[in-house]
Structures are given as C-alpha cells and as structure tokens.
C-alpha cells in the first residue's frame, strides 16, 4: 500500500522534473541542430533535421571573431573569479572567527549587499569607471564582477568555515602556525569543495553577464562573448545558422564545466543558510 | 626539569568565571589526571596550559619558564585531542612531522623523529597513508605520535580515549601507561572516566565548579577524600551518604542520630582539629559508606532488594534499608547500594541483612568537609 503510494509520488515527481528538463533542453537542442542547417533550410523546414552535417556556419561565426570573444571572456572570468575567491575566502574566515558581535554585523551588511540588483547601480558604476578612465579596459568588468560576486561567495564560504573543525586549527597553532599559516596550510587545502563550487557558480554568472559588458566595452577587440554574439546578429541579419553556431560555441565550454563539476555545485548550495 | 606550575589562574567566559583560582604544581615526569564532572573546568584548564585559551589572572610556567603570554607552539607542550584532529590532507608522516617542519627543522632530523615515534607506537607501516584510511585506534596512535615527534616538555591529553570502543580503550590505557614510563615525560590527562583516572595517574586532581577540590595519589583520594564531593565522585558505584545529626560527644567520637529514624546506635570517631569547629550536639552531619564496605562488622542493616545486578565476580544490590535512608548514591533516591564480593542468587523483593562496621564510615560536617575517614576500607 505504502509502496504503491510511494511509487505514484515518485512518478509524478519524475514527470515534473522531466517536463522541466524538456523546457530547458529543447531550445539548447534546437540551437545545436539549427547551427548545422543552411540559411534556406532554417526558414523552409524549421523543424526538420539538417540535410547534411556541415560546419560552414561555425566557420562563418568564427570568422567574425568568436575566438577572440572566447579568449576575452576566459580572461575576464578567470581574473574575476580569482579576485572573488581570494577576497571572499579571507573575509569569510575572518568573519567566522571574530569574537563578539562585530563579525556578525559585518556579515549581515555583506549579505545585504547581495540584495542590491546590478541594474540599480548601473549608472553610478558606469560614471565611476568613466571618471576613472577605465572604460574599454578589462578592469572595468573585473572590479564590478568581483564586487557582485563577493557577497554571495562570502555567504557560501561562511557556511563552510563555520562547520570547519576547530581542533584542526588548534592543532595547527600548537604545531607553530600563525593565523595566516593556519589558513593557507590547513584550511585552504581542505576547502577544495567550497572553492570549486564558488568558482563554478561565479564563472557561470560572469561568463553569461551581458549588460555591464555591453556598457563598459565598445572596442570590438575587448568584447566578451555575450556582447560579441550580438555582433553576429548585426553582421548577418539573415544568417541564423551562423548566429546559432556562435551561440553553440559560447555555451559549450560552460556546459562541459558544469557537467564535470555538478557534484560540487549542488553540494555547496545544500550547505547554505547558516 | 620540565614540571608545570599553575599559580592563581582565573578565567572568565563573559561574566561566568570558569576557573576560580587554580593553584597546581606538577612535578617533572609526573602523570597527572584532571577529573571532575562535565563543566567543572578541566578541559578549560588543559587548554589554558596549552595556550589555546588565555588567562585573566595568574601564571602558567613550564619547566620554570613563565609561558603565560606565550603562543602555544612556544610553550614546549604538545596536545592530543579527543577527536584526534589529524590533518586529513596530509599523510601520517606529514601529520607527525608538521610541527617540526613549521619550526624550520631539516628533513633529515624530521624523518628520524617520525621514525622513532612510529617505532614506539607501532605505526611504522602506516606512514604513507592518509588519516581517512586508518582505524580509530590507529588515528589515536598517530595523534600521540605527532605529540611525541615534537619532544615536548609536557604532554597534554584531552579525553583521548573517549572515542574508542571499550576493548580498545583498555588496551590504549595500558599502552599510554607504558608510554609514560618509556618517555619519562610530564603528562597531564583530562578524563571523566574514573577508571582511567585511578589506573593511570600518579596523582589525581579533582576539580569541581572551577576549583581544585583535592590533589593526591589515586588511593589516597579514594580512602581519604577531603570532602563529600570527592568522596562521591571517586568510586563506582558511588559512596552511599545519609544525613544525620550529632547526638552527643564521647571522647574522640560522636554519637550520631538519623533525624527521621532516631538513634542509629553507634559511635563514630572523629578528628577534631585544634581550633576547628567542634561537632556540637544537634549539628547536621552526613555519614558515608562505600558499597564495598559492607560485609562484616558489628552493625547490621536490613535491606529489601529492589534491583540485583549480578556481574559474575560481584553482586550489586540496590535496595531500601529500613533504618537508613541514603540521600546520595547511584541508586534511586532512598536506596542503598551494597556490593557483595560474590555471586548471589537474590530476587527483587527479598530481604537481606548486611553487616558493616562503624569504622568504615566517613563523617562529613555541615560544610561537607570530611571529619572522619573510614578506618577500615
């Protein structure tokens, strides 16, 4: 009886999950399939599979500079993630180990920072960067990305460090480590999962970020992938297969990372809320 | 010379005073066990010695050197934690050598120190493994090995055996004793297990509520507890304690009375220190008798058995006495615990007359201080 009810429940649940997966996957699948079609096919037979497996549209997309967009995105993402992880890690560790109410208060302020949407401060950020003469530099992206990634990452690390066994730190102190050595030699090597999940999470966000990149960068040579893809649309008004190919190229690296590291992704979020 | 001196140490957590003026002197090479109920401050005291906690008043010296403000690593102490606290990302030898590495020693001496410690503890075959691949007992050995490699002046143990199963605990207990003889080192050991305290210690320090109640050799504490707390804390099952009042004095002794049941009919010899408060008639006192002190004597007590525990070598009898109401024992309130040194085939509800001697009673005055020790253990 119970068994049957359990099976019915899981069937319904699987149904929901399946439906949701379809909603997410169909556009992705269509993008991939459409990238292999010819310009004519995409309008004549939008739902039919491509007649031949040609990589021409990929070549055309690459020709516009998708390669350099990817390189730009990689650089900006890498730099931002490094800044975010280093600052958030040190901050969260200090906040969890501070005695008294001070640490908690600063933590709450950081959490509050998480609640400010990017759009709300777009104009001031633009003006600041413009006044600093940083427009059209990668720094103009790395700094705001870091500022936006840090609150969330601090929350993530905070939960992790709060659970970190104190005895290990005490053992390290007895072994002659100062605070910083304790952090670098004992805590950091054991924080792999937290760092991995923070890095993946932020990479996904930064890789896809569009609005700041659009505002800060006008020189084509610096453009990141999401902004660069927009170029494709302007360049080939009717070349949808090339646009789709460009999008596929943009999505692929992230998809691979996600599939490889999804374990950390889920695990880190399961520990939030402390 | 690597003894340990603690002078007037006080420690507050916020407004709560957890160590209320501890004075303790531990001789070079002594195995000292700190015992007490949970929350008595024994672990805090150990952490103060280690330098993991600061003190608000007082001094801590290791080997005659004042280390009150020193960092843990500069104190010449090594600590073994209850849950091992091994670094999971390092191998066994990495764990054991980490302290020396941090101290800037060359790889050669480090390897020799690790091999020596591993040899003493029999973990030489595990040196390349990670802690996760070891059993609980092996982890504990590695944790001890980590302490040995640093060749500290004082070893500190914080309930190191409480995570092990009973059989392993017994084995490790013996092994720690052997280790102490072999290293001839000063060791301070915190436990709540009185078997560990009684068997391993050269000296036991009984703590209660942030104060030292008594310091002494295990058997001295057992037979000559200075107060009601120590008497009740050491020994399992606990000492039976009954409330009484002084009836009249007679020579070096007093006759006592049970307030509810009238005359108990025996005299207890007491030590009345010169200038100390005499036990005057009408003064409330308490009498204590250890469960194993029953057996023979001029006094008898009729007990109705409630629970009978046959342990093979001995029998524990939990029951109510018609003439005695115990105010403190391991049994439920009003029960008396009697330990009989043989197997007994008794059923609950059965009555049994047990004998004891007035000489085996402890007498505590109204402040809980012992005024008469059991003369016949």
């Amino acid at each position: 009886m119970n068994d049957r009810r359990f099976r019915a429940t899981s069937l319904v649940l699987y149904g929901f999950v399946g439906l949701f997966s379809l909603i997410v996957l169909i556009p992705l699948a269509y993008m991939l399939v459409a990238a292999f079609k010819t310009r004519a096919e995409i309008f004549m037979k939008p739902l039919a599979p491509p007649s031949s497996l040609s990589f021409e549209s990929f070549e055309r997309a690459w020709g516009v500079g998708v390669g350099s967009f990817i390189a730009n995105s990689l650089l900006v993402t890498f730099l931002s993630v490094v800044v975010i992880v280093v600052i958030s890690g040190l901050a969260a560790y200090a906040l969890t180990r501070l005695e008294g109410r001070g640490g908690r208060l600063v933590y709450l302020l950081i959490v509050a920072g998480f609640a400010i949407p990017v759009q709300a401060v777009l104009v001031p950020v633009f003006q600041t960067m413009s006044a600093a003469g940083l427009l059209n530099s990668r720094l103009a992206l790395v700094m705001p990305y870091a500022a936006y990634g840090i609150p969330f990452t601090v929350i993530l690390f905070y939960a992790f460090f709060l659970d970190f066994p104190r005895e290990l730190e005490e053992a390290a102190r007895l072994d002659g480590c100062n605070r910083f050595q304790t952090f670098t030699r004992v805590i950091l090597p054991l924080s792999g999962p937290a760092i991995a999940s923070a890095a993946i999470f932020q990479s996904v966000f930064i890789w896809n970020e569009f609005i700041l990149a659009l505002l800060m960068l006008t020189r084509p040579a610096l453009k990141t992938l999401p902004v660069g893809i927009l170029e494709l649309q302007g360049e080939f008004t009717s070349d949808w297969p090339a646009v789709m190919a460009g999008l596929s190229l943009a999505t692929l690296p992230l998809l691979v990372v996600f599939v490889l590291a999804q374990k950390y992704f889920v695990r880190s979020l399961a520990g939030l809320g402390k | 010379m690597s003894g340990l001196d603690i002078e007037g140490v006080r420690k507050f957590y916020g407004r709560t005073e957890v160590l209320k003026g501890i004075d303790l002197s531990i001789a070079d090479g002594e195995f000292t066990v700190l015992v007490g109920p949970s929350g008595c401050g024994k672990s805090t005291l150990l952490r103060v010695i280690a330098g993991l906690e600061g003190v608000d008043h007082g001094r801590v010296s290791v080997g005659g050197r004042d280390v009150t403000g020193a960092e843990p690593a500069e104190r010449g102490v090594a600590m073994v934690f209850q849950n091992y606290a091994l670094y999971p990302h390092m191998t066994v030898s990495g764990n054991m050598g980490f302290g020396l590495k941090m101290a800037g020693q060359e790889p050669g001496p480090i390897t020799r120190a690790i091999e020596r410690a591993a040899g003493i503890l029999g973990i030489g075959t595990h040196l390349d493994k990670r802690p996760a691949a070891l059993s609980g007992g092996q982890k504990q050995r590695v944790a001890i090995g980590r302490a040995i490699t640093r060749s500290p002046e004082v070893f500190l143990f914080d309930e190191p055996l409480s995570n092990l199963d009973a059989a392993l605990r017994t084995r490790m207990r013996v092994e720690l004793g052997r280790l102490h003889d072999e290293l001839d080192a000063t060791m301070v050991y915190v436990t709540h297990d009185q078997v560990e305290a009684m068997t391993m210690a050269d000296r036991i320090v009984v703590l209660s509520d942030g104060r030292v109640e008594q310091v002494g050799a295990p058997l001295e504490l057992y037979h000559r507890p200075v107060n009601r707390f120590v008497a009740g804390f050491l020994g399992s099952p606990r000492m039976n304690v009954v409330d009484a009042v002084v009836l009249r004095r007679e020579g070096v002794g007093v006759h006592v009375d049970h307030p509810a049941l009238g005359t108990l009919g025996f005299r207890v010899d007491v030590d009345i220190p010169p200038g100390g408060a005499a036990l005057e008639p009408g003064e409330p006192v308490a009498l204590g008798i250890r469960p194993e002190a029953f057996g023979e004597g001029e006094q008898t007590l009729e007990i109705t058995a409630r629970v009978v525990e046959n342990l093979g070598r001995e029998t524990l009898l939990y029951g109510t006495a018609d003439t005695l109401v115990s105010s403190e024992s391991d049994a439920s309130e009003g029960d008396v615990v009697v330990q009989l040194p043989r197997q007994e085939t008794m059923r609950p509800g059965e009555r049994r007359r047990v004998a004891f001697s007035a000489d085996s009673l402890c007498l505590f005055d109204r402040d809980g201080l012992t005024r008469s020790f059991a003369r016949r253990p």
Side-chain angles (χ1 to χ4, degrees):
Chain A
M1 174 65 197
N2 257 343
D3 202 36
R4 198 184 298 168
R5 202 201 268 160
F6 177 73
R7 215 177 293 164
T9 314
S10 49
L11 253 171
V12 172
L13 285 178
Y14 274 117
F16 271 119
V17 173
L19 195 70
F20 190 74
S21 308
L22 276 183
I23 293 172
V24 173
L25 287 175
I26 283 177
L28 270 178
Y30 185 77
M31 174 185 79
L32 263 175
V33 172
F36 289 100
K37 291 185 180 183
T38 64
R39 265 169 274 192
E41 267 177 339
I42 212 165
F43 289 110
M44 309 281 282
K45 292 178 254 173
L47 293 179
S51 55
S52 65
L53 208 65
S54 89
F55 284 88
E56 276 171 39
S57 42
F58 283 90
E59 276 167 31
R60 288 201 301 277
W62 193 261
V64 181
V66 169
S68 80
F69 299 154
I70 288 180
N72 286 337
S73 271
L74 276 175
L75 192 63
V76 168
T77 306
F78 175 78
L79 286 175
S80 309
V81 167
V82 168
V83 173
I84 290 171
V85 167
V86 169
I87 293 182
S88 307
L90 288 167
Y93 176 64
L95 289 175
T96 51
R97 298 303 186 256
L98 272 179
E99 284 171 20
R101 293 229 189 101
R104 192 74 194 167
L105 194 75
V106 174
Y107 176 65
L108 287 178
L109 282 175
I110 291 176
V111 173
F114 184 47
I116 301 170
V118 185
Q119 290 80 355
V121 291
L122 219 49
V123 175
V125 167
F126 180 80
Q127 284 176 332
T128 311
M129 292 302 166
S130 168
L134 289 173
L135 290 184
N136 269 320
S137 77
R138 296 196 172 94
L139 217 53
L141 286 184
V142 171
M143 286 198 293
Y145 286 167
Y148 269 91
I150 284 170
F152 181 78
T153 313
V154 166
I155 297 173
L156 202 138
F157 280 154
Y158 189 84
F160 180 80
F161 290 143
L162 221 51
D163 279 347
F164 195 89
R166 298 286 166 108
E167 295 82 16
L168 284 183
E169 287 177 54
E170 291 176 347
R173 276 184 75 192
L174 280 159
D175 273 337
C177 291
N178 59 31
R179 278 267 185 207
F180 190 68
Q181 286 168 324
T182 306
F183 186 74
T184 54
R185 308 195 71 146
V186 175
I187 294 177
L188 220 51
L190 295 171
S191 305
I195 294 173
S197 51
I200 296 162
F201 207 90
Q202 294 304 329
S203 301
V204 172
F205 170 77
I206 293 165
W207 188 266
N208 288 329
E209 203 286 328
F210 174 74
I211 190 90
L212 269 174
L214 182 69
L215 283 179
M216 302 295 174
L217 308 174
T218 45
R219 268 177 48 204
L222 289 173
K223 283 185 177 175
T224 58
L225 204 50
V227 184
I229 296 291
L230 199 68
E231 205 110 310
L232 284 178
Q233 214 184 347
E235 197 100 351
F236 316 98
T237 15
S238 57
D239 194 354
W240 284 103
V243 175
M244 292 299 170
L247 285 174
S248 305
L249 286 172
T251 321
L252 216 60
L254 218 56
L255 218 57
V256 171
V257 170
F258 196 81
V259 167
L260 288 179
Q262 57 163 325
K263 186 175 74 179
Y264 294 114
F265 206 64
V266 174
R267 206 190 284 163
S268 71
L269 295 181
L272 284 183
K274 278 173 196 156
Chain B
M1 173 60 198
S2 55
L4 178 69
D5 284 295
I6 297 161
E7 293 162 62
V9 162
R10 296 173 70 192
K11 168 86 188 159
F12 291 85
Y13 282 140
R15 291 220 183 120
T16 324
E17 190 174 8
V18 286
L19 297 178
K20 301 175 180 172
I22 304 275
D23 289 293
L24 192 62
S25 194
I26 293 168
D28 185 19
E30 196 171 51
F31 196 117
T32 305
V33 174
L34 307 179
V35 288
S38 35
C40 70
K42 55 187 190 293
S43 282
T44 309
L45 181 57
L46 196 76
R47 293 168 59 82
V48 160
I49 299 171
L52 295 171
E53 304 272 359
V55 298
D56 294 306
H57 296 280
R59 257 162 54 100
V60 178
S61 324
V62 174
R65 194 163 47 90
D66 186 353
V67 295
T68 315
E71 274 297 303
E74 297 160 1
R75 294 186 171 214
V77 300
M79 184 155 165
V80 178
F81 292 84
Q82 178 173 3
N83 42 16
Y84 326 127
L86 298 176
Y87 310 120
H89 59 298
M90 298 181 196
T91 59
V92 166
S93 58
N95 266 283
M96 287 167 67
F98 188 61
L100 295 181
K101 198 165 137 194
M102 290 309 294
Q105 288 232 20
E106 297 294 314
I110 295 181
T111 313
R112 278 197 293 282
I114 293 171
E115 276 164 4
R116 175 176 158 264
I120 292 172
L121 294 161
I123 48 173
T125 51
H126 303 304
L127 286 179
D128 293 328
K129 290 183 188 165
R130 294 280 168 98
L134 303 177
S135 69
Q138 291 164 340
K139 280 183 198 163
Q140 193 54 274
R141 267 171 238 261
V142 175
I144 296 168
R146 180 167 66 180
I148 294 176
T149 3
R150 298 189 47 211
S151 22
E153 293 178 64
V154 179
F155 284 82
L156 306 172
F157 296 92
D158 189 7
E159 309 209 18
L161 306 186
S162 56
N163 280 357
L164 304 177
D165 64 54
L168 199 55
R169 203 178 308 156
T170 312
R171 228 174 66 204
M172 285 302 284
R173 208 168 67 208
V174 175
E175 228 168 285
L176 275 174
R178 179 183 62 85
L179 193 71
H180 176 239
D181 294 340
E182 206 169 313
L183 297 175
D184 203 18
T186 313
M187 295 185 173
V188 184
Y189 188 103
V190 164
T191 183
H192 61 266
D193 183 327
Q194 44 170 299
V195 178
E196 280 173 27
M198 294 297 286
T199 53
M200 296 165 77
D202 292 324
R203 275 204 314 167
I204 294 180
V205 178
V206 182
L207 290 161
S208 159
D209 196 25
R211 286 198 179 85
V212 173
E213 294 285 340
Q214 192 174 0
V215 182
L219 288 178
E220 184 193 337
L221 258 60
Y222 189 77
H223 293 302
R224 300 184 70 80
V226 292
N227 58 29
R228 196 167 157 169
F229 176 82
V230 178
F233 189 76
L234 291 178
S236 176
R238 285 160 66 104
M239 177 185 271
N240 298 292
V241 179
V242 298
D243 292 323
V245 288
V246 175
L247 191 64
R248 63 171 196 278
R249 291 173 56 175
E250 185 192 292
V252 289
V254 291
H255 279 267
V256 288
D257 224 9
H258 193 280
L261 299 164
T263 314
L264 290 171
F266 50 79
R267 202 189 72 162
V268 183
D269 290 343
V270 295
D271 313 302
I272 300 174
L279 294 167
E280 298 299 342
E283 188 176 331
V285 291
L287 293 172
I289 181 165
R290 294 223 179 260
E292 69 272 20
F294 290 98
E296 46 193 57
E298 69 288 352
Q299 309 290 336
T300 57
L301 193 63
E302 184 143 293
I303 287 177
T304 311
R306 246 215 269 260
V307 176
V308 181
E309 288 181 349
N310 245 313
L311 303 176
R313 185 183 50 183
E314 65 203 27
T315 306
L316 293 178
L317 193 64
Y318 298 80
T320 45
D322 301 339
T323 53
L324 213 60
V325 178
S326 175
S327 61
E328 200 176 277
S329 78
D330 264 348
S332 49
E333 208 178 330
D335 275 8
V336 172
V337 187
V338 175
Q339 182 183 331
L340 300 168
R342 54 187 178 271
Q343 277 196 57
E344 292 277 334
T345 46
M346 275 185 76
R347 306 216 146 269
E350 237 177 273
R351 293 166 75 80
R352 170 68 58 100
R353 187 165 281 276
V354 290
F356 68 98
S357 157
D359 280 351
S360 52
L361 290 169
C362 276
L363 189 137
F364 308 104
D365 66 16
R366 70 167 92 204
D367 300 321
L369 298 177
T370 312
R371 300 300 290 273
S372 166
F373 297 110
R375 280 155 176 79
R376 266 202 359 215

